[in-house]
């Protein structure tokens, strides 16, 4: 629908192999079984041995004594806004996930070391299998925008809505504590835990507990779940999201450590999403079976009316609006993808420009941290020029540096080695989700800048590759001069203390540590200093920015 892919796009977005697959490691399956037995299993044992526990809702005071009565407009509003945002965040998140459909607890992302994978593919060892080859198809019914390798637009949708998710949550929490409504959510005694367990035993053994009128009280399990969604899941989602940013990871290396490592944070981000989905399914089921009409009036009109269908109509209208918006978002994704790209640049570009874009990467990793595996990405150059250079082991290679500079130069690898060398062990963050730690050795970009002396109008540096982009045409990317001068920004000819292998970008590749992987041009042919990224290519700042709607600045 709406999508008329040409042959190239079809091969990328709508491949023949569209199988959906969920592969859990035996140890992951084991943990799920243990979790199930420790909850539902134990509940059944308790029920069979000692019978049903007393229902704690029986001891609630009469509603006339309830501390909190009803739902004010701001709970109603933030609830539905949150619903709308979660639908978009989850659907876009699924599209992002499928671009690297493997989750790990280790930073190296070696195939086979994942705890769950959403691809039936076993990475072939006898041929080059890039991270882009590994991306999977997802139906646009589930993912936004769906199909295969749509990570640029998917990130657009995800990131545009994050500030609203955060603001909505903050307003909710502030109003919660400046009113008496916090008493609804925040447990006031440890008794909540045994009580919630008793309620759980009822549900798990298919005995519906007494349903307190939610207008006044929640039952213990309900209160604990809502508390968890607001005060545990949402902060975890935000924190694990931040951990994945290259600019943040490079400055605050301790942050991802809270979750083991960056892939741990990514896995927890996924588990948070799963918990939200699980919560929504149970929440909606309970809303329906525990007095649908009345519940809908609570959360739409703020009334406790049992007979008035208005609440059902309002709720249905909001859900229909969300579905309609999803169709619209799908249309925009395929017909007006630049809107999403520009929207994201407007909201996030500006948000980060003054904050995390300024952070300077700090040294952290040690030799022992170097990953045993490093996903390759991109297409090896096919040009005769590059192949000839390979034949002579790059002894004829001359890096051309020009543009708006006082002193254009051409440098051989030997020339550069004479100027200087810096070595860094850093983590690479691909936009697709994988990471890897490696040592990189090469010439600091600062030395090149000092040598060529850019004119005062220069803001941007363009790196052109011998290789091509996904849809053909020269691969290139741009960086702000600022980022080129940050610690760790080098032209690398060495990887893990060896000459840079062909696959990883020989003779020369870029490392700019506070940015995502696609900005690290491999197989560099020449460098140009310019006064705007708009004068190059289609003007969006790089090959992926032009063709795949990636961000101009990639700090997140
Ligand atoms: N010339 C060129 N450089 C490129 C790419 C590419 O396709 N062509 N892919 C980029 C992407 S998306 C990533 S993640 C990194 C991958 O680097 P690696 O192969 O060393 O892992 O290279 C970047 N540099
Ligand atoms: Mo990437």
């Amino acid at each position: 629908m709406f999508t008329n892919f040409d042959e190239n796009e079809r091969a990328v977005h709508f491949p023949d192999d569209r199988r959906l697959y969920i592969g859990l490691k035996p140890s992951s399956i084991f943990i799920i079984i243990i979790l199930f037995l420790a909850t539902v299993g134990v509940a059944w044992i308790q029920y069979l041995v000692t019978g049903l526990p007393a229902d704690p809702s029986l001891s609630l005071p009469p509603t006339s004594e309830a501390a909190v009565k009803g739902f004010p407009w701001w709970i109603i509003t933030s609830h539905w806004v949150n619903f709308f945002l979660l639908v978009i965040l989850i659907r876009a998140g699924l599209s992002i996930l499928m671009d690297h459909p493997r989750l790990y607890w280790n930073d190296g992302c070696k195939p086979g070391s994942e705890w769950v994978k959403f691809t039936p593919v076993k990475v072939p060892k006898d041929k080059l299998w890039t991270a882009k080859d590994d991306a999977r198809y997802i139906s646009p019914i589930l993912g936004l925008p769906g199909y295969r390798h749509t990570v640029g637009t998917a990130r657009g949708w995800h990131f545009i809505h994050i500030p609203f998710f955060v603001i909505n949550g903050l307003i909710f929490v502030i109003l919660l504590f400046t009113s008496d409504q916090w008493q609804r959510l925040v447990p006031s005694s440890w008794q909540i835990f045994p009580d919630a367990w008793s309620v759980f035993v009822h549900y798990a053994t298919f005995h519906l507990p007494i349903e307190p009128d939610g207008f006044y009280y929640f039952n213990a399990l309900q209160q604990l779940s809502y508390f968890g969604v607001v005060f545990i899941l949402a902060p975890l989602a935000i924190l694990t999201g931040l951990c994945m940013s290259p600019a943040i990871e490079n400055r605050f290396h301790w942050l991802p450590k809270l979750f083991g490592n960056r892939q741990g944070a990514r896995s927890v981000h996924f588990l948070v999403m799963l918990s939200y989905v699980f919560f929504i399914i149970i929440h909606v089921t309970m809303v329906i079976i525990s007095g649908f009409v009345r519940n809908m009036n609570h959360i739409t009109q703020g009334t406790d009316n049992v007979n008035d269908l208005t609440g059902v109509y309002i709720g249905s209208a909001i859900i229909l609006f969300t579905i309609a918006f999803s169709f619209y978002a799908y249309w925009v994704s395929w017909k007006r993808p630049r809107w999403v790209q520009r929207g994201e640049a407007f909201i996030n570009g500006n948000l980060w420009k003054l904050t995390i874009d300024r952070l300077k990467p700090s040294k952290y990793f040690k030799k022992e941290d170097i990953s045993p595996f490093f996903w390759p990405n991109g297409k090896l150059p096919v040009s005769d020029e590059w192949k000839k250079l390979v034949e002579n082991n790059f002894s004829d290679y001359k890096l051309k540096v020009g543009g708006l500079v006082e002193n254009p130069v051409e440098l051989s690898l030997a020339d550069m080695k004479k100027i200087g060398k810096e070595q860094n062990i850093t983590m690479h963050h691909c936009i697709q989700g994988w990471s890897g730690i490696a040592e990189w050795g090469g010439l600091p970009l600062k030395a090149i800048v000092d040598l060529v002396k850019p004119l005062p109008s220069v803001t941007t540096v363009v790196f052109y590759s011998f290789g091509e982009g996904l849809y053909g045409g020269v691969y290139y990317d741009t960086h702000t001069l600022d980022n080129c001068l940050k610690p760790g920004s080098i032209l690398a000819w060495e990887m893990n203390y060896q000459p840079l292998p062909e696959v990883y970008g020989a003779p020369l590749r870029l490392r700019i540590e506070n940015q995502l992987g696609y900005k690290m041009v491999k197989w560099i042919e020449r460098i140009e200093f310019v006064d705007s990224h708009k004068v190059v290519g289609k003007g969006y700042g790089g090959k992926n920015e032009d063709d795949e709607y990636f961000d101009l600045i990639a700090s997140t």
Side-chain angles (χ1 to χ4, degrees):
M1 205 180 21
F2 305 143
T3 43
N4 20 41
F5 297 135
D6 65 30
E7 211 176 299
N8 270 333
E9 290 165 335
R10 213 184 143 76
V12 171
H13 298 310
F14 201 72
D16 292 333
D17 179 4
R18 298 189 299 278
R19 282 171 294 164
L20 180 66
Y21 179 92
I22 301 177
L24 278 160
K25 267 268 162 77
S27 53
S28 308
I29 297 173
F30 183 71
I31 290 171
I32 293 170
I33 292 173
I34 294 287
L35 280 176
F36 186 78
L37 290 178
T39 51
V40 176
V42 172
W44 270 96
I45 292 173
Q46 178 178 346
Y47 165 60
L48 294 174
V49 174
T50 66
L52 267 186
D55 186 336
S57 301
L58 277 172
S59 51
L60 287 171
T63 54
S64 57
E65 286 172 29
V68 189
K69 298 181 176 66
F71 294 87
W73 62 271
W74 53 268
I75 288 193
I76 294 168
T77 312
S78 57
H79 168 271
W80 288 109
V81 168
N82 204 49
F83 161 73
F84 174 83
L85 293 172
L86 274 179
V87 169
I88 296 179
L89 288 170
I90 291 173
R91 296 188 60 236
L94 287 173
S95 260
I96 297 172
L97 173 66
M98 294 314 265
D99 225 61
H100 188 68
R102 303 168 189 267
L103 292 167
Y104 320 79
W105 300 108
N106 72 83
D107 273 332
C109 304
K110 190 177 174 160
S113 74
E114 63 275 318
W115 62 270
V116 60
K117 61 176 190 172
F118 305 96
T119 168
V121 171
K122 242 185 128 187
V123 172
K125 290 212 168 91
D126 53 338
K127 65 168 189 201
L128 181 64
W129 182 258
T130 66
K132 269 185 193 171
D133 294 328
D134 204 50
R136 291 302 290 184
Y137 169 92
I138 179 169
S139 160
I141 295 169
L142 283 175
L144 173 64
Y147 299 103
R148 180 175 167 278
H149 188 55
T150 54
V151 66
T153 307
R155 269 170 58 99
W157 288 114
H158 201 73
F159 280 73
I160 285 173
H161 290 88
I162 289 169
F164 296 102
F165 177 74
V166 174
I167 293 169
N168 185 55
L170 281 177
I171 294 177
F172 174 80
V173 170
I174 290 169
L175 290 174
L176 196 68
F177 285 104
T178 50
S179 70
D180 54 7
Q181 287 285 341
W182 63 271
Q183 298 170 64
R184 228 185 226 297
L185 236 53
V186 184
S188 55
S189 120
W190 294 110
Q191 186 59 32
I192 186 89
F193 287 106
D195 284 356
W197 175 257
S198 300
V199 176
F200 178 76
V201 175
H202 280 76
Y203 287 127
T205 58
F206 309 114
H207 297 86
L208 277 189
I210 292 160
E211 192 60 45
D213 182 352
F215 204 65
Y216 305 96
Y217 298 107
F218 295 141
N219 76 37
L221 186 60
Q222 200 178 6
Q223 185 182 26
L224 209 55
S225 318
Y226 294 170
F227 179 83
V229 166
V230 175
F231 294 104
I232 297 175
L233 287 192
L236 266 184
I238 295 167
L239 202 61
T240 51
L242 289 173
C243 285
M244 288 185 269
S245 142
I248 293 178
E249 188 280 325
N250 265 293
R251 176 62 187 76
F252 306 108
H253 296 282
W254 53 269
L255 192 62
K257 283 266 173 273
L258 298 176
F259 306 95
N261 48 55
R262 179 178 184 264
Q263 291 302 321
R266 180 169 169 259
S267 289
V268 172
H269 202 70
F270 169 81
L271 290 173
V272 166
M273 181 280 294
L274 215 57
S275 309
Y276 269 121
V277 171
F278 195 64
F279 169 80
I280 292 170
I281 291 171
I282 293 182
H283 176 62
V284 171
T285 310
M286 292 312 301
V287 165
I288 293 172
I289 66 174
S290 70
F292 185 49
V293 173
R294 189 178 203 167
N295 288 333
M296 291 307 280
N297 282 327
H298 291 170
I299 201 62
T300 55
Q301 310 196 84
T303 64
D304 194 24
N305 204 318
V306 197
N307 301 314
D308 179 9
L309 280 175
T310 314
V312 175
Y313 295 142
I314 297 175
S316 310
I318 297 171
I319 292 166
L320 282 177
F321 170 79
T322 306
I323 294 172
F325 185 87
S326 297
F327 276 97
Y328 175 68
Y330 173 86
W331 179 84
V332 171
S333 301
W334 295 105
K335 290 297 178 194
R336 303 285 184 276
R338 295 286 177 213
W339 290 3
V340 188
Q341 190 182 26
R342 291 209 183 95
E344 204 213 335
F346 176 72
I347 292 182
N348 284 281
N350 288 320
L351 194 62
W352 303 128
K353 214 176 268 169
L354 299 170
T355 53
I356 63 171
D357 284 343
R358 300 207 166 172
L359 299 173
K360 289 206 169 91
S362 67
K363 292 212 178 212
Y364 180 76
F365 294 108
K366 300 189 190 64
K367 215 168 169 175
E368 315 77 277
D369 300 321
I370 292 175
S371 309
F373 180 86
F374 205 95
W375 277 90
N377 226 352
K379 285 187 193 165
L380 268 167
V382 288
S383 75
D384 290 338
E385 199 185 351
W386 185 77
K387 284 182 182 156
K388 278 212 188 91
L389 291 174
V390 175
E391 274 169 28
N392 292 329
N393 208 10
F394 301 105
S395 54
D396 304 330
Y397 173 69
K398 288 254 179 188
L399 170 71
K400 297 172 275 297
V401 190
L404 304 173
V405 296
E406 277 176 30
N407 179 33
V409 292
E410 292 200 5
L411 301 167
S412 68
L413 284 175
D415 296 335
M416 282 184 264
K417 285 175 187 171
K418 264 184 243 154
I419 303 175
K421 180 180 176 188
E422 180 182 310
Q423 288 172 304
N424 304 303
I425 301 171
T426 62
M427 185 189 287
H428 178 94
H429 311 70
C430 174
I431 191 171
Q432 298 183 277
W434 58 270
S435 50
I437 299 169
E439 183 270 349
W440 305 100
L443 183 64
L445 279 167
K446 168 131 192 341
I448 299 263
V449 171
D450 290 345
L451 189 66
V452 300
K453 301 197 173 54
L455 302 180
S457 64
V458 166
T459 58
T460 305
V461 190
V462 194
F463 299 84
Y464 295 93
S465 174
F466 286 109
E468 294 183 1
L470 185 60
Y471 301 105
V474 171
Y475 192 99
Y476 77 97
D477 216 305
T478 64
H479 288 270
T480 60
L481 188 54
D482 265 3
N483 276 340
C484 292
L485 297 174
K486 288 220 165 86
S489 295
I490 65 172
L491 291 169
W493 56 72
E494 172 184 289
M495 179 187 190
N496 296 337
Y497 309 100
Q498 301 294 321
L500 187 63
E502 281 164 34
V503 169
Y504 294 103
L508 215 51
R509 74 170 291 162
L510 193 55
R511 295 300 311 167
I512 301 229
E513 299 303 340
N514 71 338
Q515 298 289 293
L516 290 172
Y518 65 89
K519 309 252 349 160
M520 318 231 179
V521 178
K522 306 199 289 186
W523 311 292
I524 294 177
E525 188 245 341
R526 71 192 164 96
I527 300 177
E528 186 185 14
F529 288 75
V530 294
D531 52 11
S532 166
H533 64 269
K534 294 192 178 130
V535 300
V536 198
K538 292 184 196 162
Y540 293 91
K543 193 62 183 157
N544 291 295
E545 292 87 326
D546 287 346
D547 295 353
E548 299 179 48
Y549 315 102
F550 285 13
D551 322 68
L552 168 63
I553 307 282
S555 319
T556 49

